[in-house]
Amino acid sequence: MRLVILGGSGSGKSTQAQRLCKYFDVPLISTGEILRDAISGDKTGNGYGELNDLGRNARPYVIRGELVPDEMMIEFIKVRLSQQDANGGWILEGYPRTAFQAEELDFLLDNLGEKLDWGIYLQVPQAVMVSRSLGRSLPDDQPEIVQRRVELFYDRTIPILEYYDRRRRLLTINGADSPEQVQQNILTLLG
């Protein structure tokens, strides 16, 4: 199973990505986590030497609450998807963040002889995104950064949804339900 989980800040992407990884027994590839580890200099022998180097370059963007440039993110994903554990499938969370990245992901998968099964969009109202994000208290979840992320999300994500929809690869799920219900709805649609 090769899935992309899409949704705004606080839409439950991480929760669903983790649940689906356990369910399908595939690795979770979370760009946010890779970036956070790399930026904090977390070198707990995660085997991501090359990714940590990329993360250091990405740090200034993340600190300002800006999106990391496409080329940098594409390189992250290329390195990560070509690792051994990703051969049997994966769930991508936090990527793609632009329509260009979605297209580049398709090219990359073509080169790897793979294809994306689905883009899963967790749709939640803007107010829910903001309140959930502020309730998490991650270091980069200050109100003004959260608000900026929500705005960026709408600017950048609608074209991604259109991209996957045109390719008949988009499932839209109500992300405001309980995590259990959201997971059940996803599995029903995938079934």
Side-chain angles (χ1 to χ4, degrees):
M1 191 56 75
R2 292 176 177 84
L3 303 172
V4 164
I5 307 280
L6 302 162
S9 206
S11 63
K13 288 191 307 287
S14 297
T15 303
Q16 291 308 318
Q18 286 162 5
R19 285 168 167 260
L20 293 168
C21 282
K22 283 194 188 84
Y23 185 87
F24 291 112
D25 193 25
V26 294
L28 168 59
I29 299 175
S30 162
T31 50
E33 211 167 281
I34 295 170
L35 284 172
R36 274 194 288 275
D37 286 355
I39 285 161
S40 68
D42 182 8
K43 297 190 191 64
T44 50
N46 58 11
Y48 295 153
E50 204 174 337
L51 291 173
N52 286 343
D53 294 342
L54 288 166
R56 278 188 284 283
N57 299 333
R59 183 169 194 213
Y61 299 96
V62 178
I63 288 172
R64 290 194 299 266
E66 294 171 14
L67 291 178
V68 174
D70 284 341
E71 300 68 39
M72 232 179 250
M73 288 310 301
I74 289 160
E75 195 53 39
F76 261 111
I77 297 302
K78 191 187 296 178
V79 169
R80 184 62 187 91
L81 290 186
S82 46
Q83 289 173 334
Q84 194 67 44
D85 67 339
N87 289 348
W90 36 260
I91 293 178
L92 250 180
E93 187 243 315
Y95 186 92
R97 293 211 169 183
T98 63
F100 176 71
Q101 287 179 358
E103 214 170 343
E104 287 295 313
L105 177 61
D106 279 346
F107 292 140
L108 173 60
L109 292 175
D110 278 349
N111 290 340
L112 294 170
E114 298 175 1
K115 74 176 185 46
L116 182 71
D117 291 304
W118 294 103
I120 297 175
Y121 173 45
L122 301 177
Q123 193 172 34
V124 295
Q126 186 168 344
V128 174
M129 270 197 249
V130 171
S131 68
R132 282 182 180 174
S133 293
L134 293 174
R136 289 191 306 210
S137 70
L138 288 172
D140 56 346
D141 280 343
Q142 285 106 18
E144 59 282 0
I145 291 180
V146 166
Q147 195 54 52
R148 171 105 183 92
R149 253 197 253 124
V150 168
E151 287 160 18
L152 269 175
F153 164 73
Y154 283 109
D155 288 351
R156 305 281 177 117
T157 305
I158 302 307
I160 301 173
L161 301 178
E162 289 167 351
Y163 175 85
Y164 285 131
D165 196 37
R166 277 196 309 274
R167 281 159 184 72
R168 309 234 182 308
R169 290 261 168 272
L170 184 68
L171 299 177
T172 300
I173 306 279
N174 177 359
D177 286 334
S178 72
E180 296 73 24
Q181 187 60 54
V182 172
Q183 181 184 5
Q184 198 45 62
N185 295 346
I186 293 171
L187 294 175
T188 301
L189 282 176
L190 291 176

